[in-house]
Amino acid sequence: MTVKLKKRLSGVLCVAAASSLLAACGSSGDSATEVEHGFVISNATIVDTRDGSLQQGRTIVVDGGKIQTITSERVRATGAAQEVDASGKYVVPGYIDMHTHVMEAIDLQPNFFPLMIANGVTAFRDQDLASEERGAQLNADSAAGLVDAPEAIFAGGEAHLNPAESTFDASNRGMPYIDHLGAGMGLLVDCSTQAQDIRTEFLAQGYRPSGINMAHFILNPRAYDGNQNARFYQRVLDTYDENTCEALSQAFVHNGTWQIPSLIRLRTQDWGNDPLYRQDPNLIYVEGSRRANWNEVGDMFSALPADAVTTLQNYYELQKRATLLMQRSGVKVLSGSDIGGIWLIAGFSLQQEFQELAAAGLSPLEVLQTTTLNPAEFLNRQASMGTVEEGKNADLVLLDANPLDSVDNLAKIDGVFLKGRYFSKADLEELKRGVADAYANQ
């Protein structure tokens, strides 16, 4: 759909397509372009996710879910068009959560979508390929305005490492990406000088306890196997070699093996009973039965021996260190929060992932890239997403503060544009309030 822009110059009406507006209509100090449909986002500062440069004083014309034009000239909303004053605001592409289990809760009332939108999530990659057909219908309904939901993306299934296979071998045979740093001990085993011995002994003793509640095990595996396997984690800690981990990183770069660390998922496992999560005020957005399960598994984690917990938490610190090493070595990193695990609240969990990536040492720009620019490259959709440019999807987030100053500012959301609809700050608060109200008496 092409927006028609009207511009009055010295009493003469000029009509031009958005792409040729400036060339066709020229400029005038007292003139203004008129837009009759869609949205006019005025006085915005656009953040270039490629290099972090800022384009100040820009007006973004949005219609049909697309960015029709970006200009520094005056634009006036007329007719059915709505103006959004973005003075003092920063515009970035919508956030993409690249590892979720959202579709498993699609029938939940309310489902995860309101909280995701309220936290700037405009797309999510779901691990359940069996839900792909239903995801396609969701996307169609969303595009038609029948439901408000981020775009569902299906690209590959679970990619945990096989504990019996070295990470070098997995990458060399073409494994396209690795989730959770491999899960369990994961890829850090292959940063050890005793990798083969640790792997052999680990497999010999059986790495999954018997007689488990599988639903609880999925919520937090460490609550079940943390004590049994702590000695293996400790051996990796004791024999970690930076040069070996650098060699592994270079293999990832050479083979194009992406990383979706999901650090917040790892942390909520290794701090499975942390008051930070137990007392999270955002638990008001979680239904009663899910909260009860989380508390029960949290109680199980609290029963682990103190030395095992210390080992697990030290292991997480090494995982953060390895994440930074890989990123600095040129390994491509994606943000994924693994919605579905213990203490992971939809939407908020991605904001927590941003915090963990920053704690690992990534810069605010690098964190922003993991949820915008990098997903576009991974999905081969650079033509439609990843940057704020003409012709691309107008799935956008308006921020109250510069996201390049601090990752905290990625949560300071003033508005969200999603599939042709604008959610103001008040709208976003209403989305969250509706979820809280639904679960208030559970």
Side-chain angles (χ1 to χ4, degrees), residues 202-418:
F202 177 70
L203 293 171
Q205 62 102 47
Y207 60 91
R208 180 172 292 181
S210 59
I212 63 174
N213 179 321
M214 199 60 194
H216 283 177
F217 182 83
I218 291 173
L219 283 176
N220 188 359
R222 301 295 83 80
Y224 279 93
D225 64 14
N227 186 37
Q228 172 182 313
N229 294 329
R231 62 191 179 98
F232 296 108
Y233 286 76
Q234 188 60 53
R235 284 185 63 185
V236 173
L237 288 168
D238 293 341
T239 59
Y240 173 82
D241 180 71
E242 194 92 340
N243 291 331
T244 303
C245 212
E246 175 63 33
L248 181 59
S249 297
Q250 291 304 322
F252 291 156
V253 173
H254 180 266
N255 296 323
T257 308
W258 292 67
Q259 295 295 324
I260 312 175
S262 301
L263 291 177
I264 188 58
R265 167 63 158 151
L266 300 177
R267 193 187 192 283
T268 52
Q269 292 180 55
D270 295 336
W271 273 263
N273 199 39
D274 193 335
L276 177 69
Y277 305 130
R278 286 269 199 182
Q279 300 167 16
D280 187 345
N282 291 323
L283 286 171
I284 62 173
Y285 304 118
V286 180
E287 73 276 19
S289 61
R290 191 179 296 261
R291 290 198 307 269
N293 283 334
W294 289 358
N295 283 319
E296 184 176 349
V297 178
D299 290 341
M300 293 173 58
F301 185 88
S302 68
L304 294 177
D307 59 345
V309 172
T310 297
T311 293
L312 293 173
Q313 294 177 352
N314 288 339
Y315 201 80
Y316 176 71
E317 294 303 315
L318 184 58
Q319 288 176 312
K320 288 199 299 183
R321 178 177 164 188
T323 297
L324 180 63
L325 184 153
M326 289 187 290
Q327 199 277 338
R328 292 290 181 262
S329 299
V331 178
K332 295 295 182 66
V333 178
L334 300 165
S335 284
S337 71
D338 203 6
I339 299 170
I342 192 171
W343 307 126
L344 299 175
I345 303 170
F348 297 97
S349 58
L350 188 61
Q351 295 290 343
Q352 291 174 299
E353 180 67 5
F354 297 158
Q355 293 288 336
E356 293 306 307
L357 290 169
L362 274 68
S363 72
L365 174 60
E366 290 165 342
V367 173
L368 177 60
Q369 290 171 335
T370 67
T371 195
T372 56
L373 190 69
N374 293 0
E377 180 182 347
F378 178 83
L379 298 167
N380 195 27
R381 291 178 58 179
Q382 299 97 320
S384 61
M385 59 171 54
T387 58
V388 180
E389 294 181 289
E390 292 181 358
K392 294 196 174 183
N393 293 343
D395 294 335
L396 307 170
V397 179
L398 273 61
L399 299 171
D400 285 323
N402 189 347
L404 305 183
D405 290 342
S406 169
V407 293
D408 294 346
N409 295 339
L410 291 172
K412 296 177 180 178
I413 299 173
D414 182 73
V416 173
F417 288 85
L418 175 64

Side-chain angles (χ1 to χ4, degrees), residues 162-200:
N162 182 340
E165 182 181 29
S166 84
T167 313
F168 283 98
D169 290 344
S171 178
N172 289 336
R173 67 172 169 78
M175 192 172 188
Y177 60 91
I178 297 175
D179 286 304
H180 318 308
L181 303 181
M185 287 187 294
L187 60 83
L188 285 189
V189 174
D190 291 293
C191 294
S192 165
T193 57
Q194 298 179 10
Q196 189 53 53
D197 289 343
I198 294 173
R199 178 174 284 109
T200 298

Side-chain angles (χ1 to χ4, degrees), residues 142-157:
S142 181
L146 301 178
V147 63
D148 293 320
E151 179 186 357
I153 297 171
F154 298 85

